[in-house]
Amino acid sequence: YGATPTWYSVETQPGIQAVLTCLDERSWVCRIAPGRETTLYVPHLSADEDLREEPLAQSLVKQGRLFAMDVRGRGESRPNSCGGNYLTPYGSDYFYAYFSEMYGESLLGRRTFDVLRVLDLLESRGYRKIHLAGRGFGSLPALFAAVLHPRVGKVTLKHALLSYHEMTQDEDYKWPLSAMVWGILKKLDLPDCYRALGKRLTLIEPWSTRMEPLPAKEAKRRLKELGAG
Protein backbone atom coordinates (compact mmCIF):
# COMPACT_ATOMS: atom_id res chain seq x y z
CA TYR A 1 0.00 0.00 0.00
CA GLY A 2 2.92 2.38 0.57
CA ALA A 3 1.75 3.12 4.15
CA THR A 4 0.70 1.25 7.30
CA PRO A 5 -2.89 -0.07 7.00
CA THR A 6 -5.43 -0.36 9.79
CA TRP A 7 -8.87 -1.84 9.15
CA TYR A 8 -12.19 -0.99 10.79
CA SER A 9 -15.72 -2.30 10.48
CA VAL A 10 -18.12 0.64 10.62
CA GLU A 11 -21.77 -0.21 11.34
CA THR A 12 -23.62 2.33 9.21
CA GLN A 13 -27.00 0.93 10.24
CA PRO A 14 -28.04 -2.14 12.27
CA GLY A 15 -26.58 -5.24 10.64
CA ILE A 16 -24.77 -3.35 7.86
CA GLN A 17 -21.02 -2.73 7.94
CA ALA A 18 -18.76 -0.66 5.73
CA VAL A 19 -15.12 -1.78 5.80
CA LEU A 20 -12.79 1.18 6.29
CA THR A 21 -9.03 1.10 5.65
CA CYS A 22 -6.81 3.79 7.16
CA LEU A 23 -3.41 4.29 5.54
CA ASP A 24 -0.97 6.32 7.63
CA GLU A 25 2.62 6.41 8.83
CA ARG A 26 1.58 4.47 11.94
CA SER A 27 -1.04 1.90 12.92
CA TRP A 28 -4.19 3.04 14.75
CA VAL A 29 -5.44 -0.21 16.23
CA CYS A 30 -7.92 0.85 18.91
CA ARG A 31 -9.51 3.97 17.45
CA ILE A 32 -9.92 6.06 14.32
CA ALA A 33 -6.95 8.37 13.82
CA PRO A 34 -7.88 11.97 14.75
CA GLY A 35 -6.97 14.95 12.61
CA ARG A 36 -8.10 18.09 10.81
CA GLU A 37 -7.80 17.18 7.12
CA THR A 38 -7.86 13.86 5.28
CA THR A 39 -8.99 12.04 2.14
CA LEU A 40 -11.80 9.49 1.90
CA TYR A 41 -11.60 7.25 -1.18
CA VAL A 42 -14.50 5.19 -2.56
CA PRO A 43 -13.21 2.56 -5.04
CA HIS A 44 -14.71 1.03 -8.15
CA LEU A 45 -15.14 -2.53 -6.84
CA SER A 46 -12.64 -3.05 -4.01
CA ALA A 47 -10.57 -0.76 -1.79
CA ASP A 48 -7.85 -3.40 -1.59
CA GLU A 49 -7.61 -3.71 -5.38
CA ASP A 50 -7.63 0.03 -6.02
CA LEU A 51 -5.06 0.75 -3.31
CA ARG A 52 -2.73 -1.81 -4.88
CA GLU A 53 -3.32 -1.07 -8.57
CA GLU A 54 -5.11 2.23 -9.22
CA PRO A 55 -2.85 5.25 -9.92
CA LEU A 56 -5.36 7.74 -8.47
CA ALA A 57 -5.56 5.89 -5.16
CA GLN A 58 -1.80 5.47 -5.00
CA SER A 59 -1.24 9.18 -5.67
CA LEU A 60 -3.64 10.09 -2.87
CA VAL A 61 -1.79 7.85 -0.41
CA LYS A 62 1.39 9.81 -1.10
CA GLN A 63 -0.36 13.05 -0.09
CA GLY A 64 -0.94 11.98 3.52
CA ARG A 65 -3.37 10.02 5.67
CA LEU A 66 -6.06 8.37 3.59
CA PHE A 67 -9.20 6.42 4.41
CA ALA A 68 -10.60 4.03 1.78
CA MET A 69 -13.96 2.34 2.22
CA ASP A 70 -15.92 -0.57 0.82
CA VAL A 71 -19.62 0.30 0.80
CA ARG A 72 -22.15 -2.48 1.34
CA GLY A 73 -21.94 -5.20 -1.31
CA ARG A 74 -18.51 -4.14 -2.55
CA GLY A 75 -15.01 -5.30 -1.72
CA GLU A 76 -14.88 -7.09 1.62
CA SER A 77 -18.69 -7.40 1.78
CA ARG A 78 -19.14 -8.65 -1.76
CA PRO A 79 -21.82 -11.39 -1.66
CA ASN A 80 -21.20 -15.00 -2.68
CA SER A 81 -24.82 -15.64 -3.64
CA CYS A 82 -26.04 -16.47 -7.18
CA GLY A 83 -23.29 -19.03 -7.61
CA GLY A 84 -20.59 -16.46 -7.03
CA ASN A 85 -21.68 -14.46 -10.08
CA TYR A 86 -21.54 -10.77 -9.29
CA LEU A 87 -21.80 -8.35 -12.21
CA THR A 88 -23.10 -10.85 -14.76
CA PRO A 89 -26.69 -10.46 -15.98
CA TYR A 90 -28.93 -11.54 -13.09
CA GLY A 91 -25.93 -11.87 -10.81
CA SER A 92 -25.98 -10.96 -7.13
CA ASP A 93 -25.35 -7.23 -7.66
CA TYR A 94 -28.41 -7.06 -9.90
CA PHE A 95 -30.62 -9.03 -7.53
CA TYR A 96 -29.73 -6.96 -4.47
CA ALA A 97 -30.41 -3.79 -6.44
CA TYR A 98 -33.70 -5.22 -7.68
CA PHE A 99 -34.78 -6.31 -4.19
CA SER A 100 -34.00 -2.81 -2.94
CA GLU A 101 -36.34 -1.38 -5.56
CA MET A 102 -39.07 -3.84 -4.52
CA TYR A 103 -38.83 -2.50 -0.96
CA GLY A 104 -38.98 1.09 -2.16
CA GLU A 105 -35.27 1.69 -1.57
CA SER A 106 -32.28 2.40 -3.80
CA LEU A 107 -29.14 0.32 -3.35
CA LEU A 108 -27.12 3.28 -4.62
CA GLY A 109 -28.91 5.44 -2.08
CA ARG A 110 -27.99 3.09 0.76
CA ARG A 111 -24.38 3.01 -0.45
CA THR A 112 -24.42 6.80 -0.43
CA PHE A 113 -25.74 6.55 3.13
CA ASP A 114 -22.71 4.39 4.00
CA VAL A 115 -20.40 7.14 2.71
CA LEU A 116 -22.31 9.79 4.67
CA ARG A 117 -22.04 7.79 7.89
CA VAL A 118 -18.28 7.34 7.45
CA LEU A 119 -17.99 11.08 6.81
CA ASP A 120 -19.90 11.64 10.06
CA LEU A 121 -17.48 9.33 11.83
CA LEU A 122 -14.48 11.22 10.49
CA GLU A 123 -16.09 14.51 11.53
CA SER A 124 -16.53 13.14 15.05
CA ARG A 125 -12.76 12.51 15.13
CA GLY A 126 -12.05 16.17 14.42
CA TYR A 127 -11.84 16.27 10.63
CA ARG A 128 -13.20 19.56 9.33
CA LYS A 129 -12.00 19.39 5.72
CA ILE A 130 -12.34 16.13 3.81
CA HIS A 131 -11.23 15.45 0.25
CA LEU A 132 -13.73 12.94 -1.13
CA ALA A 133 -12.56 10.85 -4.09
CA GLY A 134 -14.30 8.07 -5.99
CA ARG A 135 -13.71 5.89 -9.05
CA GLY A 136 -16.06 4.04 -11.38
CA PHE A 137 -18.99 2.65 -9.43
CA GLY A 138 -17.63 4.42 -6.36
CA SER A 139 -17.85 7.80 -8.08
CA LEU A 140 -21.65 7.83 -7.82
CA PRO A 141 -22.09 7.47 -4.03
CA ALA A 142 -19.11 9.78 -3.63
CA LEU A 143 -20.80 12.39 -5.84
CA PHE A 144 -24.11 12.33 -3.98
CA ALA A 145 -22.40 12.33 -0.58
CA ALA A 146 -20.25 15.29 -1.63
CA VAL A 147 -23.35 17.31 -2.48
CA LEU A 148 -25.00 16.45 0.84
CA HIS A 149 -22.22 16.56 3.46
CA PRO A 150 -20.92 19.91 4.74
CA ARG A 151 -17.42 18.66 5.61
CA VAL A 152 -16.54 17.70 2.05
CA GLY A 153 -14.22 20.24 0.44
CA LYS A 154 -12.37 19.04 -2.62
CA VAL A 155 -13.99 16.31 -4.75
CA THR A 156 -12.16 14.11 -7.29
CA LEU A 157 -14.05 11.62 -9.45
CA LYS A 158 -12.44 9.28 -11.96
CA HIS A 159 -14.24 7.11 -14.54
CA ALA A 160 -17.54 8.73 -13.62
CA LEU A 161 -20.80 8.57 -15.56
CA LEU A 162 -21.72 12.04 -16.82
CA SER A 163 -25.46 11.72 -17.35
CA TYR A 164 -28.36 9.37 -16.63
CA HIS A 165 -30.31 10.92 -19.49
CA GLU A 166 -27.68 9.70 -21.93
CA MET A 167 -28.31 6.16 -20.72
CA THR A 168 -31.95 6.46 -21.76
CA GLN A 169 -30.73 7.15 -25.31
CA ASP A 170 -28.44 4.10 -25.51
CA GLU A 171 -29.97 0.63 -25.81
CA ASP A 172 -26.59 -0.98 -25.07
CA TYR A 173 -25.59 0.90 -21.93
CA LYS A 174 -23.41 -1.15 -19.57
CA TRP A 175 -23.80 0.52 -16.18
CA PRO A 176 -25.62 -1.88 -13.82
CA LEU A 177 -28.96 -1.40 -12.08
CA SER A 178 -27.10 -0.76 -8.83
CA ALA A 179 -25.71 2.45 -10.39
CA MET A 180 -29.18 3.90 -10.89
CA VAL A 181 -31.81 5.64 -8.77
CA TRP A 182 -35.43 4.94 -9.63
CA GLY A 183 -37.22 8.08 -10.91
CA ILE A 184 -34.23 10.38 -10.47
CA LEU A 185 -34.73 12.10 -13.83
CA LYS A 186 -38.04 13.48 -12.58
CA LYS A 187 -36.00 15.62 -10.20
CA LEU A 188 -32.42 16.00 -11.45
CA ASP A 189 -29.55 14.50 -13.45
CA LEU A 190 -25.88 14.05 -12.67
CA PRO A 191 -24.83 17.32 -14.36
CA ASP A 192 -26.93 19.17 -11.77
CA CYS A 193 -24.81 17.59 -9.04
CA TYR A 194 -21.58 18.36 -10.87
CA ARG A 195 -22.54 22.00 -11.26
CA ALA A 196 -23.58 22.21 -7.59
CA LEU A 197 -20.03 21.24 -6.60
CA GLY A 198 -18.57 23.89 -8.91
CA LYS A 199 -14.86 24.56 -8.59
CA ARG A 200 -14.51 22.01 -5.80
CA LEU A 201 -14.89 19.23 -8.38
CA THR A 202 -12.30 17.57 -10.61
CA LEU A 203 -13.48 14.97 -13.13
CA ILE A 204 -10.83 12.64 -14.57
CA GLU A 205 -11.26 10.38 -17.61
CA PRO A 206 -15.06 10.07 -17.52
CA TRP A 207 -16.67 6.90 -18.82
CA SER A 208 -19.42 6.63 -21.42
CA THR A 209 -22.77 4.91 -20.94
CA ARG A 210 -21.02 1.72 -22.04
CA MET A 211 -18.36 2.10 -19.33
CA GLU A 212 -15.69 2.92 -21.88
CA PRO A 213 -13.32 5.93 -21.82
CA LEU A 214 -14.76 8.85 -23.75
CA PRO A 215 -12.62 9.99 -26.71
CA ALA A 216 -10.26 12.74 -25.58
CA LYS A 217 -11.93 15.53 -27.58
CA GLU A 218 -15.41 14.47 -26.47
CA ALA A 219 -14.33 14.25 -22.84
CA LYS A 220 -12.73 17.69 -23.02
CA ARG A 221 -15.88 19.20 -24.55
CA ARG A 222 -18.16 17.61 -21.96
CA LEU A 223 -15.96 18.64 -19.06
CA LYS A 224 -15.93 22.20 -20.35
CA GLU A 225 -19.73 22.16 -20.48
CA LEU A 226 -19.82 21.02 -16.85
CA GLY A 227 -17.14 23.45 -15.78
CA ALA A 228 -15.01 20.61 -14.37
CA GLY A 229 -11.67 19.46 -15.71
Side-chain angles (χ1 to χ4, degrees), residues 61-206:
V61 172
K62 295 177 182 178
Q63 296 177 18
R65 182 181 299 152
L66 176 137
F67 293 89
M69 67 175 294
D70 286 323
V71 296
R72 67 186 72 190
R74 300 278 192 225
E76 294 297 320
S77 63
R78 175 174 168 173
N80 292 321
S81 50
C82 297
N85 295 316
Y86 185 55
L87 288 174
T88 57
Y90 305 109
S92 59
D93 186 68
Y94 167 81
F95 275 110
Y96 283 110
Y98 184 73
F99 290 151
S100 295
E101 299 291 351
M102 291 176 62
Y103 283 101
E105 293 278 0
S106 161
L107 182 55
L108 176 55
R110 301 319 295 173
R111 286 170 171 166
T112 300
F113 182 77
D114 291 341
V115 179
L116 290 169
R117 294 301 292 151
V118 170
L119 288 168
D120 287 342
L121 174 62
L122 295 177
E123 183 180 11
S124 74
R125 296 298 295 155
Y127 294 97
R128 293 296 178 265
K129 189 175 181 180
I130 301 172
H131 175 192
L132 184 55
R135 186 180 80 88
F137 294 150
S139 66
L140 291 168
L143 170 64
F144 293 131
V147 172
L148 294 170
H149 204 283
R151 293 302 176 191
V152 174
K154 182 179 178 181
V155 183
T156 302
L157 304 177
K158 184 176 181 179
H159 299 158
L161 175 68
L162 293 182
S163 168
Y164 282 129
H165 173 72
E166 290 182 353
M167 293 177 63
T168 69
Q169 310 304 305
D170 185 357
E171 293 183 356
D172 296 320
Y173 68 82
K174 301 301 182 184
W175 289 79
L177 180 63
S178 61
M180 305 175 197
V181 180
W182 182 267
I184 192 171
L185 288 177
K186 295 179 181 179
K187 301 292 184 179
L188 56 89
D189 198 356
L190 298 178
D192 298 304
C193 297
Y194 294 136
R195 294 188 188 101
L197 294 174
K199 294 182 179 179
R200 294 186 292 157
L201 172 66
T202 299
L203 284 168
I204 304 171
E205 299 174 14

